[in-house]
Amino acid sequence: MQRLPGVISQNARQIFQPRSHHEDLASRLAEARDHYRLPRLQELIGSGSVDFFGSEHGYLLLNGLNYTPRPMGGGSFNVFTPSLQRANVDFVENAEVSPDHYLVNLETIDNRFIAQDDGPALRSLIQHYQPVDMTQGMLLFSRLPRTVEAPRPRELESRPVRFEEWIPVPSVADDELLLVSFELPLTLWGRTREFFYKPPMLFSVFSGPEVNDGNLHRMLPSMVSNPVILSPFLDTTVDLLDAFQPAGGKQIHQFQLKSPLPGLWREEA
């Protein structure tokens, strides 16, 4: 209620002094464009098309770039269902409609396992694009030649996973990505809770030579039902750049699944 007088004054100004209000908004927009200006990216991208992988799409608009979003854009954290994931993958893999460039800044919400956020599209992006520049912590990717055919995944192992159990992962070459997908069925009580409230929370812990902090990373079952990148471990945008280096980035050797309500998941999960 303390803000009410200010809100009333602002609304009255918008109604009775529209030109003044418009000039004020235009001034703020000009300041934002100057503050977030990325001249090097403007030069590299030019009139080419570009999409943003992350959640700060305003960079593209404030820099006057040719924003060409995938079907489910607006933040990679909101691609919840396999059908939305498939639509984005089809877009990225279609050279006729996908953009010339991707600006990438890996960010998530709720301390999630970041590789699950639009994970299949991220994997396709890595296969069809290459990093060409980095500015202000963001990676610019450009599409590889159209004749390049991305390798298809091959299954290495399928096994049951039990909560709190350390699961070793297969080894792959430094120039390969290790993918993982999960089938995580709920018990009857778990499905009942999901219907009336929400599913129980699920977390992962990862361990490797450079990843041993014991942090809990939230996982959403619907977002890991399709293969996502497990190793190299992606926690920041720099990790993504390191994945293109000869050493192959931060490798994962084992992981755990945890839940505050493990009894609501079927044991064979």
Side-chain angles (χ1 to χ4, degrees):
M1 294 298 293
Q2 293 179 349
R3 296 180 55 203
L4 184 58
V7 172
I8 293 175
S9 174
Q10 182 182 30
N11 290 346
R13 184 179 173 217
Q14 292 173 356
I15 295 172
F16 297 108
Q17 297 178 307
R19 178 172 294 181
S20 174
H21 184 67
H22 178 270
E23 291 174 352
D24 181 48
L25 292 178
S27 175
R28 294 185 190 180
L29 179 59
E31 290 177 0
R33 283 175 172 160
D34 183 63
H35 181 76
Y36 293 104
R37 186 167 175 263
L38 301 173
R40 180 169 176 79
L41 290 186
Q42 290 176 329
E43 179 182 352
L44 291 172
I45 295 173
S47 61
S49 54
V50 59
D51 190 8
F52 195 96
F53 199 98
S55 58
E56 298 176 315
H57 297 70
Y59 274 105
L60 304 183
L61 301 175
L62 289 172
N63 282 272
L65 299 173
N66 181 11
Y67 178 30
T68 306
R70 53 200 185 280
M72 188 60 185
S76 52
F77 57 83
N78 63 12
V79 188
F80 280 98
T81 67
S83 60
L84 293 176
Q85 292 176 341
R86 184 70 253 168
N88 279 357
V89 168
D90 290 343
F91 176 81
V92 175
E93 293 186 345
N94 186 343
E96 300 302 319
V97 298
S98 58
D100 303 313
H101 309 277
Y102 262 93
L103 189 57
V104 179
N105 188 21
L106 295 185
E107 295 180 307
T108 189
I109 58 175
D110 302 332
N111 200 35
R112 289 188 193 173
F113 172 44
I114 204 166
Q116 75 184 326
D117 287 357
D118 208 0
L122 176 61
R123 177 164 58 87
S124 293
L125 190 159
I126 292 173
Q127 293 173 335
H128 294 283
Y129 292 76
Q130 61 182 345
V132 295
D133 196 75
M134 190 168 194
T135 183
Q136 295 191 19
M138 297 180 290
L139 269 175
L140 178 65
F141 282 75
S142 293
R143 179 172 271 283
L144 290 165
R146 306 239 191 264
T147 54
V148 172
E149 183 176 351
R152 294 300 173 186
R154 67 184 190 277
E155 183 174 317
L156 298 179
E157 185 177 309
S158 178
R159 60 178 297 167
V161 176
R162 303 191 186 281
F163 288 108
E164 307 288 341
E165 178 185 40
W166 280 108
I167 307 299
V169 304
S171 298
V172 296
D174 290 341
D175 61 348
E176 293 182 313
L177 301 174
L178 180 63
L179 311 178
V180 65
S181 64
F182 295 94
E183 293 182 17
L184 298 163
L186 294 166
T187 64
L188 176 59
W189 284 114
R191 295 197 303 272
T192 302
R193 183 185 194 272
E194 180 182 34
F195 180 80
F196 286 103
Y197 180 42
K198 61 181 180 180
M201 298 187 78
L202 180 69
F203 299 93
S204 53
V205 180
F206 302 99
S207 177
E210 299 175 88
V211 184
N212 200 24
D213 53 15
N215 286 342
L216 293 176
H217 299 266
R218 189 180 176 193
M219 300 183 73
L220 283 75
S222 64
M223 298 174 74
V224 291
S225 60
N226 287 319
V228 299
I229 299 170
L230 175 63
S231 187
F233 182 69
L234 303 179
D235 198 36
T236 67
T237 306
V238 173
D239 291 334
L240 180 59
L241 178 60
D242 288 343
F244 286 86
Q245 305 306 313
K250 299 176 181 176
Q251 300 302 308
I252 295 297
H253 288 179
Q254 57 183 357
F255 70 92
Q256 283 181 318
L257 291 184
K258 295 175 178 282
S259 176
L261 297 169
L264 297 186
W265 305 89
R266 278 169 43 189
E267 187 176 356
E268 62 269 26

